[in-house]
Amino acid sequence: MTPISRRLFLSTTCALVPGAAFAHHGWSGYDTSKSFEVTGEILKSTYENPHCEIEVQVEGKLWHFVLAPPSRMQRRGITAEMIAPGKTCTVFGYPHSSKPDEARIEYIVLDGKRIELR
């Protein structure tokens, strides 16, 4: 590799790496000092990267719950059908500190079975 092509490669790499690192969010926006557990009906679900997500109606409030990535959900035995709309689930998680209707989920209970997501 010539010195010029090496510099071009390093410049391009340095320019792209921060964007890739920033693309995946961290969990710092969730308040782990305020855990909670609720049960409700799944109204909407997505089973795709970067994380599976469900919307659940709980005592008149619509929650947006962030689950694990699909690959981890599959390894834990959770299929898209298990989190389909109309199903009931119990979740344990942490609320988002600035989005009052969002939470990160640590475990989910489906069909009476507790499944760890982290």
Side-chain angles (χ1 to χ4, degrees):
M1 188 178 272
T2 67
I4 291 174
S5 62
R6 183 175 297 134
R7 273 187 261 161
L8 178 61
F9 172 76
L10 290 174
S11 297
T12 303
T13 302
C14 289
L16 295 176
V17 169
F22 184 72
H24 186 272
H25 61 85
W27 294 117
S28 63
Y30 298 90
D31 188 349
T32 56
S33 71
K34 296 181 180 174
S35 64
F36 67 97
E37 183 178 276
V38 294
T39 299
E41 180 183 348
I42 299 172
L43 301 180
K44 182 179 176 185
S45 66
T46 58
Y47 199 88
E48 58 191 40
N49 284 314
H51 296 277
C52 297
E53 300 176 11
I54 55 176
E55 288 185 8
V56 177
Q57 188 76 36
V58 179
E59 298 175 0
K61 180 176 181 176
L62 181 63
W63 279 96
H64 177 86
F65 293 134
V66 180
L67 306 174
S71 59
R72 188 175 310 145
M73 299 277 281
Q74 290 169 351
R75 284 193 306 272
R76 305 285 198 273
I78 303 173
T79 64
E81 293 76 31
M82 293 172 75
I83 60 168
K87 301 280 186 167
T88 298
C89 68
T90 298
V91 296
F92 172 88
Y94 307 107
H96 197 281
S97 46
S98 64
K99 299 175 186 173
D101 63 340
E102 183 176 309
R104 164 189 138 194
I105 302 308
E106 288 292 312
Y107 70 77
I108 188 168
V109 179
L110 298 164
D111 300 324
K113 182 180 175 188
R114 176 180 158 157
I115 307 162
E116 299 291 330
L117 299 179
R118 302 285 161 233

